[in-house]
Amino acid sequence: AQSVTQLGSHVSVSEGALVLLRCNYSSSVPPYLFWYVQYPNQGLQLLLKYTSAATLVKGINGFEAEFKKSETSFHLTKPSAHMSDAAEYFCAVSEGRERGGADGLTFGKGTHLIIQP
Amino acid sequence: GAGVSQSPSNKVTEKGKDVELRCDPISGHTALYWYRQRLGQGLEFLIYFQGNSAPDKSGLPSDRFSAERTGESVSTLTIQRTQQEDSAVYLCASSILAATTYEQYFGPGTRLTVT
């Protein structure tokens, strides 16, 4: 079975500073990986996804993530944090390969990003 | 509508009662998914539909949980004889097809509290 570990339930950075949210996964098949963001009182929104093309993936709102197979990691970064980035961030891995193509996603527990003014 | 909608947004029920949660997917999306998010936990995949068919029900937590979908549209998740451990946010998502290359769009969720 696949699993996702997000290190740090809460991460606090200053406005303008680098954002780094960590995600490690385990998978018995080549993974598809995702980052979702959840703003207060809103549904989850896809930030970016890795589906075995380029290992450096660029997403919306200036976020990007790099797939590192040797480290089984898919960390999310943004060079300069903005107050509007404050939200809950979830890393997820696809179980599609194990479920014959069906895409039940396995999510991490989430990281709450706090932006200090 | 423009996005996935769920109702009710909040539901408080007494232990032992049955509840029905509703999901309206984006029009034209053939795939629909249900997830559960317990407090402090990540999302837990429950079940998915391709059309009106649910090929794999193994993610449902117990036989008290069931789901159906009609007309390749609305889906209901039913929990019978609710227990306190069923308290969670239940999220629905839809996509064009049940495949990785198609983004899952999430609804705002139904917060279920079992007292």
Side-chain angles (χ1 to χ4, degrees):
Chain A
Q2 293 159 318
S3 66
V4 174
T5 301
Q6 290 184 241
L7 193 61
S9 60
H10 290 76
V11 170
S12 180
V13 302
S14 299
E15 189 174 17
L18 171 71
V19 175
L20 171 60
L21 304 183
R22 299 179 185 275
C23 172
N24 289 88
Y25 70 91
S26 68
S27 175
S28 58
V29 297
Y32 289 171
L33 295 157
F34 307 80
W35 275 100
Y36 281 83
V37 60
Q38 186 175 32
Y39 298 103
N41 301 315
Q42 296 186 28
L44 274 77
Q45 179 182 5
L46 181 66
L47 269 179
L48 49 79
K49 65 181 179 183
Y50 166 77
T51 57
S52 74
T55 57
L56 181 62
V57 181
K58 295 187 183 297
I60 61 172
N61 301 337
F63 284 94
E64 62 182 37
E66 185 172 9
F67 171 68
K68 291 188 177 180
K69 183 178 180 180
S70 61
E71 298 177 9
T72 60
S73 69
F74 191 57
H75 301 331
L76 181 71
T77 60
K78 181 174 180 178
S80 177
H82 192 273
M83 295 299 291
S84 61
D85 295 327
E88 191 83 15
Y89 291 80
F90 294 93
C91 182
V93 61
S94 169
E95 294 186 354
R97 307 296 183 91
E98 292 186 344
R99 292 178 181 267
D103 257 342
L105 299 176
T106 297
F107 284 81
K109 293 185 179 181
T111 297
H112 186 63
L113 178 61
I114 301 163
I115 310 297
Q116 307 273 9
Chain B
V4 177
S5 61
Q6 294 185 245
S7 61
S9 56
N10 281 283
K11 176 71 176 178
V12 180
T13 189
E14 293 180 353
K15 178 181 174 181
K17 300 280 190 182
D18 297 352
V19 295
E20 275 193 2
L21 312 180
R22 176 186 169 106
C23 172
D24 281 272
I26 293 172
S27 178
H29 281 194
T30 63
L32 185 147
Y33 309 81
W34 283 99
Y35 294 85
R36 176 171 73 173
Q37 185 178 20
R38 288 170 160 167
L39 188 64
Q41 303 294 315
L43 279 74
E44 174 189 6
F45 172 69
L46 299 180
I47 191 170
Y48 87 100
F49 290 86
Q50 178 59 56
N52 294 332
S53 172
D56 180 4
K57 300 182 181 180
S58 62
L60 293 175
S62 75
D63 58 8
R64 297 185 293 104
F65 286 70
S66 62
E68 65 174 17
R69 187 181 186 196
T70 55
E72 295 197 358
S73 180
V74 172
S75 175
T76 55
L77 178 69
T78 302
I79 309 173
Q80 295 179 311
R81 305 181 301 282
T82 52
Q83 302 295 312
Q84 288 187 332
E85 62 262 28
D86 300 333
S87 296
V89 177
Y90 290 82
L91 291 160
C92 174
S94 71
S95 66
I96 296 174
L97 290 172
T100 303
T101 51
Y102 297 97
E103 179 178 347
Q104 292 186 27
Y105 293 84
F106 283 80
T110 293
R111 183 175 299 277
L112 174 65
T113 303
V114 182
T115 61

